[in-house]
Amino acid sequence: ENGVSASESDGISSVIPGWFSEISQMWPGEAHSLKVEKILFQGKSDYQNVMVFQSSTYGKVLVLDGVIQLTERDECAYQEMITHLPLCSIPNPKKVLVIGGGDGGVLREVARHSSVEKIDICEIDKMVVDVSKEFFPRVAIGFEDPRVTLHVGDGVAFLKAVPEGTYDAVIVDSSDPIGPAQELFEKPFFASVAKALRPGGVVCTQAESIWLHMKIIEDIVTNCRQVFKGSVNYAWTTVPTYPSGVIGFMLCSTEGPPVDFKHPVNPVEVNGIDTPNNSLKFYNSEIHSAAFCLPSFAKKIIDSK
Ligand code: SAM
């Protein structure tokens, strides 16, 4: 017995009793904590530890391998940005692929676009899908759209088998590059994304924090500049429960009709996806353009790649 209980490996703190602390080698020396009202689910899938708890201030929280994936309170910021940044940057997106995203939140956002005819999702871990359907119905509602087809499997293998030029947009809603998502941050993966996209198609990938992961971001930017011959951009937003409170996205397009990510050509204010009875909570066209403005320290490094 090494004294580490199943709970502790999920981040339930023995230091501050009754709190979850997000401890990881990816952000050494700091740990954001949330007060736990109740642990609702703890399980171990073939790929990772899965936990759901009721927090006292952010609603229910989904945790994979001790790392927060979403909370009911701030998931809108992440899901709306990772989806509408790419889909509002091209006219009439029709075929969309989501890699990861097993909670269904990105699907919910893609489904707002009436031009979209087909939505494929490839998530490696069926337990994430099942747990989301049970505990996060307002997120997992994305799976109910009839245009959605779920493929349970590795996104890397799935993309390799996709015929060239299939998708208008690919959204990579992955966890961090430790564990099953590691390859989703590597150059061969980006190359298969580029191949799966039509000319002038777009990709948006989860691209970590400018405060914590500049080295990872530098590598992603370098790889993407080699692979994507259209445009390559970094954008970011605020998500309070992600480490350092911010998260970034890599937005790239393939050679073809040019894509100017900074100026949405398919704005939500016009395309009718932001309706009074189903309104967006976070995304709008101003925040879209603003997301590409970088602090000087990050701009210097990203522009130099
Ligand atoms: N939507 C979340 C949010 O709001 O923060 C982001 C995290 S999402 C749950 C990340 C998903 O990527 C996880 O469900 C994980 O199982 C999945 N994943 C990790 N590696 C993968 C791979 N190689 N192929 C497909 N899915 C993968």
Side-chain angles (χ1 to χ4, degrees):
E1 176 60 58
N2 59 9
V4 178
S5 68
S7 291
E8 268 177 62
S9 69
D10 274 332
I12 297 299
S13 181
S14 57
V15 184
I16 322 175
W19 287 62
F20 163 85
S21 289
E22 194 178 46
I23 294 168
S24 166
Q25 51 179 304
M26 283 200 63
W27 39 92
E30 59 184 276
H32 185 235
S33 301
L34 290 174
K35 190 168 187 213
V36 178
E37 295 288 317
K38 192 173 187 219
I39 294 173
L40 302 171
F41 178 87
Q42 272 179 304
K44 192 167 171 43
S45 73
D46 290 343
Y47 300 96
Q48 51 209 344
N49 291 317
V50 181
M51 177 177 68
V52 179
F53 70 89
Q54 179 71 47
S55 67
S56 57
T57 50
Y58 279 86
K60 283 183 218 145
V61 182
L62 173 67
V63 179
L64 299 178
D65 279 345
V67 177
I68 294 177
Q69 303 297 312
L70 67 86
T71 81
E72 288 181 307
R73 178 164 158 203
D74 65 5
E75 56 92 9
C76 61
Y78 178 81
Q79 325 272 23
E80 292 183 14
M81 291 297 273
I82 197 172
T83 305
H84 304 307
L85 285 176
L87 296 190
C88 293
S89 295
I90 52 172
N92 291 310
K94 288 193 174 69
K95 289 188 182 155
V96 180
L97 170 64
V98 179
I99 300 290
D103 52 78
V106 171
L107 300 176
R108 180 192 68 200
E109 294 306 315
V110 175
R112 289 175 181 270
H113 290 258
S114 57
S115 66
V116 170
E117 295 164 359
K118 184 172 168 50
I119 312 170
D120 286 321
I121 174 167
C122 181
E123 159 65 54
I124 204 166
D125 194 344
K126 176 83 168 24
M127 189 182 279
V128 176
V129 178
D130 294 340
V131 162
S132 185
K133 285 181 177 170
E134 186 174 349
F135 295 99
F136 299 90
R138 285 195 298 267
V139 180
I141 191 170
F143 284 102
E144 288 169 28
D145 191 279
R147 294 166 290 179
V148 170
T149 308
L150 168 64
H151 309 263
V152 176
D154 179 13
V156 176
F158 182 88
L159 261 166
K160 276 187 193 146
V162 169
E164 213 171 315
T166 300
Y167 295 104
D168 299 289
V170 175
I171 298 171
V172 186
D173 176 18
S174 71
S175 26
D176 294 321
I178 291 179
Q182 191 184 333
E183 284 184 69
L184 305 181
F185 290 79
E186 292 170 2
K187 194 169 164 188
F189 175 74
F190 293 126
S192 33
V193 172
K195 192 173 136 278
L197 286 170
R198 64 150 166 90
V202 293
V203 61
C204 181
T205 75
Q206 192 269 93
E208 303 297 344
S209 160
I210 51 174
W211 288 112
L212 298 171
H213 306 122
M214 233 25 242
K215 186 74 195 74
I216 296 174
I217 296 169
E218 278 183 67
D219 291 346
I220 300 175
V221 174
T222 302
N223 288 334
C224 286
R225 288 212 197 279
Q226 288 167 9
V227 168
F228 295 98
K229 300 298 179 196
S231 50
V232 174
N233 299 266
Y234 189 84
W236 61 300
T237 193
T238 126
V239 180
T241 58
Y242 282 164
S244 83
V246 304
I247 189 85
F249 308 102
M250 229 26 244
L251 284 130
C252 311
S253 65
T254 53
E255 195 167 13
V259 178
D260 176 4
F261 283 105
K262 293 170 190 168
H263 302 99
V265 293
N266 180 26
V268 288
E269 293 80 1
V270 177
N271 70 14
I273 71 171
D274 189 13
T275 60
N277 55 5
N278 186 18
S279 62
L280 292 164
K281 294 194 188 75
F282 192 90
Y283 176 92
N284 56 50
S285 290
E286 283 182 346
I287 217 164
H288 178 124
S289 296
F292 294 89
C293 299
L294 303 177
S296 301
F297 77 87
K299 185 173 159 58
K300 200 185 268 172
I301 294 171
I302 288 170
D303 287 353
S304 75
K305 289 290 140 195

